[in-house]
Amino acid sequence: MDLLNAIRSFIKVVEAGSIAAGARNLGISPAAVSQNLARLEQHLQVRLLSRTTRSMALTPAGSLYFERVRHVARDLALAELAVTTPDSEPQGRLCIASTSAFGRHVLAPLIPAFSARYPRLSIELVTTDRRVNHAQEGVDVSVRIAPQLEDHLLARHIARVPFICCASPGYLQRAGLPSTPESLREHRCLVFRYPVDGRFLRWGFIRDGLRFEAEFGTVLISDDIDALTQMALNDGGITRLAEFIVRPHLDSGALVPLFEQREAGRAYAQTEPMDVYVCLADRFAMTPKVRAFMDYLQECLGADWQVSA
């Protein structure tokens, strides 16, 4: 019996939550994974998993065994890489998950050059605002904003994205120009709702070093940033967009930036930026291909993304 492959199958099945998902992550058939599990249980003379047609759960012995072997396969793989290919280029499958807007507008244009730099990589970009499970979905690295961070993930700050409140000339001609963030309660606001928990993305501002949130008047709501952009372009109301989304529309005059002038009798209120993080499942996920992607992303974003809060 190939004990290491049997252990690897066991680890992937537990992490992914099912034999089918574990098999997908390993790139082999569910039948082969089931055979590996059966051989491992026979070798150990103990039942590791309690399996039915609808569910699967670790037995007490399986839980103990998993805690002892969960890092074995990754330790061996990293050790092999360290001594056999220390200077080799990244290779294999690299799955990157990202928030929809950042994935579409920032990562997608950067990935072709990254792929050309590392032609032995097979890259998959998943753009979604739902909660992504690294283990179950085979994700190597995810790009998240602060509200999407999870305690069990390792997060590294990668960028601080400026945000701009804006509206179309047509809307402002009809509804008037808001003079301060406080006056947004008198306007129709186009607001993003998080698909994961249904919360609104609040509009934060900084004035005299203090943070405050704007109150909305009437709202139009969407769980898609690009949909909100289209609403704003078609005189739907005032919205708050990342600069990487709104800049072309500001340059063309299709949208007008708001709150860029000093308010009468009070200090300027700056639109709060948003922090962006790259996240890993654990320290073992920092493989050469992931490190290459993180270095490339930092290189491409550069100093322009490190704005003061």
Side-chain angles (χ1 to χ4, degrees), residues 61-260:
S63 295
L64 177 62
Y65 190 71
F66 178 70
E67 289 304 316
R68 297 297 180 92
V69 303
R70 62 188 305 176
H71 298 312
V72 166
R74 279 178 289 187
D75 282 348
L76 289 174
L78 291 173
E80 183 177 344
L81 280 172
V83 300
T84 61
T85 56
D87 300 317
S88 66
E89 65 177 295
Q91 56 186 295
R93 177 180 179 270
L94 175 65
C95 183
I96 305 161
S98 171
T99 59
S100 295
F102 196 87
R104 292 171 186 166
H105 295 273
V106 179
L107 294 185
L110 296 178
I111 282 178
F114 179 68
S115 179
R117 181 181 296 187
Y118 300 107
R120 300 180 68 184
L121 279 178
S122 174
I123 302 169
E124 178 178 355
L125 175 63
V126 178
T127 59
T128 180
D129 290 309
R130 63 174 172 78
R131 183 173 285 114
V132 172
N133 186 299
H134 281 226
Q136 291 183 4
E137 301 179 55
V139 171
D140 296 292
V141 58
S142 61
V143 180
R144 304 180 180 217
I145 57 177
Q148 297 173 318
L149 297 180
E150 299 177 72
D151 291 340
H152 66 277
L153 296 175
L154 298 180
R156 177 185 294 180
H157 184 267
I158 194 72
R160 181 161 291 151
V161 179
F163 269 68
I164 297 173
C165 287
C166 57
S168 68
Y171 173 81
L172 296 174
Q173 183 177 12
R174 182 178 73 246
L177 184 70
S179 58
T180 68
E182 286 84 354
S183 60
L184 285 170
R185 66 172 66 95
E186 302 167 5
H187 285 264
R188 185 165 61 205
C189 297
L190 313 178
V191 183
F192 179 78
R193 188 194 295 276
Y194 286 111
V196 173
D197 56 17
R199 292 178 299 154
F200 286 161
L201 177 60
R202 306 302 304 178
W203 296 7
F205 294 87
I206 309 294
R207 182 191 287 130
D208 286 335
L210 299 176
R211 181 185 183 276
F212 66 98
E213 292 183 353
E215 295 182 15
F216 302 133
T218 57
V219 294
L220 294 179
I221 305 164
S222 179
D223 63 354
D224 185 275
I225 291 294
D226 289 333
L228 293 174
T229 305
Q230 291 301 314
M231 292 181 192
L233 289 168
N234 287 276
D235 305 337
I238 296 172
T239 194
R240 177 178 176 271
L241 299 172
E243 186 175 21
F244 62 76
I245 297 174
V246 76
R247 177 51 56 192
H249 304 302
L250 298 179
D251 292 344
S252 71
L255 293 175
V256 177
L258 305 176
F259 314 129
E260 293 201 328

